[in-house]
Amino acid sequence: MIKFPVRFLWGAATSAYQVEGDNVFADWWHWEKSSGQKEVSGSASQHYRYFEEDFNSAKLLHHTCHRLSIEWSRVEPYENQFSAKEIAHYIDVITALRERNIQPIVTLHHFTNPEWLSRLGGWEHTSARNYFSRYVEKIVEALCDKVRYWIPVNEPMVYVYHAYVAGIWPPQKKSLRVSQAVAGNLLDAHDQAYKLIHEIYRKKDLPAPLVGTAHHMQAFAACRPTLRNKLGVYLRDSLFNLGFVKKLCRMRSLDFIGVNYYTRGLVETRGWGIRNLLLDFCRQQHSRLDKNDLGWDIYPQGIYESLLKLRKFKLPVFITENGICTHDDAQRWEFIASHLKCVAAAMEKGVDVQGYIYWSLLDNYEWDKGFGPRFGLIHVDYRSGKRTIRESARKFAMVCQTGEL
């Protein structure tokens, strides 16, 4: 039997755009239609309407924390015009969590931007950092008495990769030069937000907040042990897995490290160019590991390997996302249990892991993949809005309740 610490936080996550529905002022809302996506977000999981019911389920499942995001485009639908109605809504959301003794962990940017910001060039310009700070100040001022944990930017390197390297997400650019500028602006935005949040709490004489990052990490492995593939693994591990965290630590802008872990990537480079070294992957299906519904390798050992790499930073760590999209609920529970065993193993090696947050509480709109992938502990009927708690959620609930696996 594995026993986790008494104060260990247990929960699940959501992101506003993926679950709320009808975020009509977001850049994604417009892009979905203009780019011809097969499935648009629409009313999504209707969480904007059903959040209290969803939090009742989280309480029933013995969750002690919940990671959520604020939709910037709702709060500031037009430049420098903030919506008192939507700020009040998010106050209600956070209050609902607090009333159920669930610790809110608030993300301020989860991939989407206000459409007005995108029209101004989005994160390609340094001005985005100041727009973001203005929004951060507004939200933190409204919620600081109810929130201790803040995450300014979710998975910055995933955003950079999908939007500016692979060109899959809006604004669909493929430029390493522009991607570097965007990454730098997101880094500075986090740093500014970190300092601003701490300053607000000091001025209000509140206990110090904890401001961290939700950083995506992937276990990279060479498909064949060639020098070129090994170099590709090294570069991806250095740049994608560790680069952003190293910089934030040097800036002293992290109180904790959040890890989002899902899968392993098999590196098979087809040339010595920088794009080959950073982007090429195995296309021959050499991996014999089990897969989720998106074809991603299931590799629990990777979360252990990732956590050990963070030990040198000597900061508290949270698993801020870890989950599987599958129509086989038994596979979902096996995924959770196997990854928790590896988290416990990393803790035995000295990694200060303080919480585990499953992705996701609800089935949701999975970006360019639409509604097909089902990550939720809770099944959502997208037509009726009906929620059904899965058996895997009940098994996970026993771990949350007892701290034992």
Side-chain angles (χ1 to χ4, degrees), residues 350-398:
V351 185
D352 183 18
V353 184
Q354 298 191 0
Y356 176 90
I357 300 169
Y358 176 83
W359 180 272
S360 162
L361 179 65
L362 305 166
D363 288 338
N364 56 220
Y365 182 71
E366 195 54 43
W367 306 113
D368 58 296
K369 305 296 191 297
F371 288 106
R374 298 239 176 203
F375 281 91
L377 293 172
I378 299 172
H379 175 275
V380 176
D381 183 317
Y382 292 116
R383 290 188 177 181
S384 68
K386 181 182 177 183
R387 275 87 163 116
T388 305
I389 295 175
R390 292 187 163 106
E391 182 60 25
S392 59
R394 299 187 188 280
K395 290 180 177 178
F396 179 49
M398 292 301 297

Side-chain angles (χ1 to χ4, degrees), residues 323-349:
I324 181 172
C325 58
T326 179
H327 285 74
D328 178 355
D329 196 48
Q331 186 186 37
R332 178 175 287 102
W333 168 242
E334 176 56 33
F335 180 97
I336 294 171
S338 61
H339 282 74
L340 281 176
K341 289 174 185 175
C342 290
V343 170
M347 293 170 71
E348 289 181 1
K349 292 289 187 180

Side-chain angles (χ1 to χ4, degrees), residues 54-63 102 389 393-394 397 401:
D54 295 334
F55 295 159
N56 284 340
S57 295
K59 181 176 175 58
L60 179 70
L61 295 169
H62 302 288
H63 293 187
I102 298 174
I389 295 175
R394 299 187 188 280
Q401 183 180 25

Side-chain angles (χ1 to χ4, degrees), residues 51-52 55 87-97 99 143:
F51 70 88
E52 294 212 55
F55 295 159
I87 293 174
H89 168 77
Y90 285 114
I91 292 173
D92 290 344
V93 169
I94 299 299
T95 301
L97 286 169
E99 288 173 348
L143 296 176

Side-chain angles (χ1 to χ4, degrees), residues 192-247:
Q192 286 182 200
Y194 178 92
K195 292 178 171 62
L196 177 59
I197 294 168
H198 275 273
E199 181 61 25
I200 289 170
Y201 277 67
R202 277 193 295 270
K203 285 182 176 178
K204 291 182 177 290
D205 199 26
L206 292 167
L210 294 170
V211 183
T213 183
H215 181 61
H216 187 276
M217 297 187 74
Q218 191 171 157
F220 294 110
C223 184
R224 293 178 298 121
T226 65
L227 177 61
R228 199 166 63 195
N229 285 348
K230 289 179 180 178
L231 178 59
V233 169
Y234 171 78
L235 290 174
R236 293 175 210 206
D237 196 46
S238 299
L239 297 174
F240 185 82
N241 281 338
L242 298 173
F244 208 84
V245 173
K246 281 182 179 177
K247 290 175 181 176

